[in-house]
Every structure is written in structure tokens, then in C-alpha cells.
């Protein structure tokens, strides 16, 4: 419970003091390397715990930790309880950053990913996508989520999974090649469709309703 509370507060501070601070570019939402941690959260980020309260840190560069999706609370909130989930993370980003809702799985399709401790999550997903009924939709969101695979189910950085090297590379739907979280953050920042979605979400929240054809 203490870690959950710290994760929420760390993310709130990131949004308040980095993304929405006066004079900043709101697209820091995607590629800022700043994090906020207290003594509870500091071990997750690999930084020295402050003497009290929260302090602002630059994330260790080797982690490639950037943006909202580099925040431990976001990574943990879009994971399974005992392992990361590129699919959950990717679907969230597709909806929140690109304003695109993927179609639901076809009736009767088994959506469970086989657990195998001898494989990486990427390898398990690749086997899942061998089913043509699954491949199309997963191609929309898995590359987004796979870019974050260096972060485990609670957002800690890792080099390997099940003793195997992690491959966070892939191509986005527009053909942009990315290799890890930092590349993903840059791609999102520079993507016109992402900026349009960001502004659309601001508009919807300010007005308390969805936009329509007249808007």
C-alpha cells in the first residue's frame, strides 16, 4: 500500500511540475527524463532516497526511462501482478495517445498468453500472433508495449527476463523504427497524430464532453 501511494504521488508530481509547469512544452509528457521519488519509491528508480518527502531526479540514462510511461505507477498499473504486459501497456497508449480503440477479439478466440518460464514475454507474444485471428490487432499495440519491456511488473529496470536478453525493438504503424523506451518517447513527441490526440483530449476534458463534427 505504501508503494502504491508513493507511485501515485510521484506520477502526480511529474504531471504537475514537469508536464504542466509554466513555460514548459506539454509534449514533455512523452519524453521527459524526470522522476519524483521518496524513500519508498527510490529503489524502483535506482536513485538515492531523499532524506524526507519527495525529490526530483533525472532518471539514470542507461534505463532510457522517459515520459508518462516511464513512471513506475503507469508501468505497474498496466502490468499483470507477476509479469509485465506489453499488450496492456500498448492498448493504453493506443487509446490515450493516439485516440484509437482497437477492435475486440473475435468471438471464440483464446486471448490467454501461454506462460513459459524459458521464454521472454516477446517470444510468448510472437507465438500468440501465429494465430492469424490475433495478429492484426496485436500489430497495432504490441510494438508500443514491447518498447517498455526493460521495465518489469512494478517498473524496475532490468536487462534480462528469465535469463534471456530483452529485445525492445520494433516498428510503429507509421513505419517508425524504435528500440526501447527513449526512442518511443521521441517518436510519440514528434508524431502529428499523437499531438492531435493530446489536444483532442484536452478539449474533451475542458468542455466535459466529446467533440463532434461541428467542433
Amino acid at each position: 500500500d505504501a508503494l502504491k501511494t508513493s507511485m501515485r504521488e510521484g506520477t502526480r508530481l511529474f504531471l504537475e511540475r514537469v508536464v504542466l509547469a509554466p513555460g514548459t512544452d506539454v509534449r514533455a509528457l512523452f519524453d521527459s527524463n524526470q522522476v519524483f521519488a521518496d524513500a519508498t519509491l527510490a529503489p524502483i528508480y535506482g536513485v538515492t532516497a531523499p532524506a524526507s518527502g519527495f525529490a526530483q531526479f533525472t532518471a539514470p540514462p542507461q534505463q532510457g526511462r522517459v515520459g508518462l510511461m516511464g513512471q513506475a505507477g503507469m508501468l505497474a498499473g498496466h502490468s499483470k501482478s507477476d509479469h509485465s504486459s506489453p499488450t496492456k501497456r500498448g492498448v493504453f497508449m493506443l487509446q490515450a495517445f493516439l485516440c484509437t480503440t482497437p477492435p475486440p477479439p473475435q468471438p471464440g478466440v483464446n486471448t490467454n498468453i501461454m506462460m513459459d518460464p524459458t521464454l521472454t514475454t516477446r517470444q510468448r507474444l510472437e507465438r500468440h500472433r501465429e494465430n492469424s485471428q490475433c495478429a492484426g490487432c496485436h500489430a497495432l499495440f504490441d510494438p508500443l508495449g514491447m518498447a517498455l519491456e526493460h521495465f518489469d511488473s512494478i517498473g524496475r529496470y532490468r536487462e534480462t527476463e528469465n535469463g534471456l536478453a530483452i529485445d525492445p525493438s520494433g516498428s510503429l504503424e507509421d513505419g517508425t523504427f524504435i528500440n526501447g523506451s527513449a526512442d518511443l518517447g521521441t517518436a510519440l513527441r514528434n508524431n502529428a497524430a499523437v499531438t492531435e490526440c493530446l489536444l483532442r483530449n484536452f478539449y474533451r476534458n475542458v468542455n466535459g464532453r466529446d467533440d463532434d463534427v461541428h467542433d
Side-chain angles (χ1 to χ4, degrees):
D1 287 342
L3 183 55
K4 182 195 298 185
T5 299
S6 293
M7 285 180 172
R8 286 176 172 169
E9 179 64 6
T11 301
R12 188 193 69 79
L13 289 169
F14 171 77
L15 293 170
E16 177 187 279
R17 299 186 185 179
V18 175
V19 179
L20 299 177
T24 60
D25 187 327
V26 72
R27 292 174 299 174
L29 178 73
F30 305 115
D31 67 351
S32 171
N33 62 358
Q34 299 301 293
V35 296
F36 291 81
D38 60 1
T40 302
L41 192 52
I44 303 295
Y45 288 135
V47 298
T48 302
S52 62
F54 278 80
Q56 184 171 350
F57 299 91
T58 297
Q62 67 272 20
Q63 295 184 5
R65 185 188 297 273
V66 297
L68 182 66
M69 297 310 298
Q71 305 300 306
M74 294 301 296
L75 292 163
H78 296 90
S79 294
K80 300 293 186 179
S81 61
D82 60 349
H83 62 274
S84 65
S85 176
T87 296
K88 288 186 69 173
R89 294 171 178 177
V91 167
F92 169 79
M93 287 185 278
L94 188 69
Q95 294 176 319
F97 299 160
L98 285 158
C99 293
T100 299
T101 300
Q106 297 182 31
V109 171
N110 182 6
T111 60
N112 293 320
I113 308 297
M114 177 193 64
M115 296 304 298
D116 186 336
T118 68
L119 302 175
T120 63
T121 300
R122 183 188 195 97
Q123 291 169 330
R124 296 198 300 272
L125 280 170
E126 287 173 348
R127 288 190 177 183
H128 183 71
R129 289 198 301 269
E130 290 174 359
N131 183 339
S132 59
Q133 293 179 305
C134 303
C137 290
H138 276 270
L140 296 174
F141 43 73
D142 277 358
L144 294 166
M146 283 305 312
L148 304 174
E149 268 300 278
H150 273 302
F151 303 106
D152 69 9
S153 61
I154 59 171
R156 290 176 300 197
Y157 180 79
R158 57 184 179 176
E159 286 285 348
T160 62
E161 180 188 10
N162 294 331
L164 302 171
I166 290 172
D167 177 6
S169 65
S171 294
L172 303 183
E173 194 177 15
D174 64 0
T176 301
F177 177 78
I178 57 174
N179 188 18
S181 174
D183 278 1
L184 175 64
T186 299
L188 292 172
R189 181 189 179 97
N190 295 329
N191 187 301
V194 171
T195 302
E196 179 181 339
C197 179
L198 182 67
L199 296 174
R200 187 180 300 276
N201 282 326
F202 275 142
Y203 187 90
R204 290 171 175 173
N205 280 274
V206 167
N207 289 282
R209 61 173 175 82
D210 279 351
D211 51 290
D212 58 26
V213 64
H214 301 291
D215 297 314

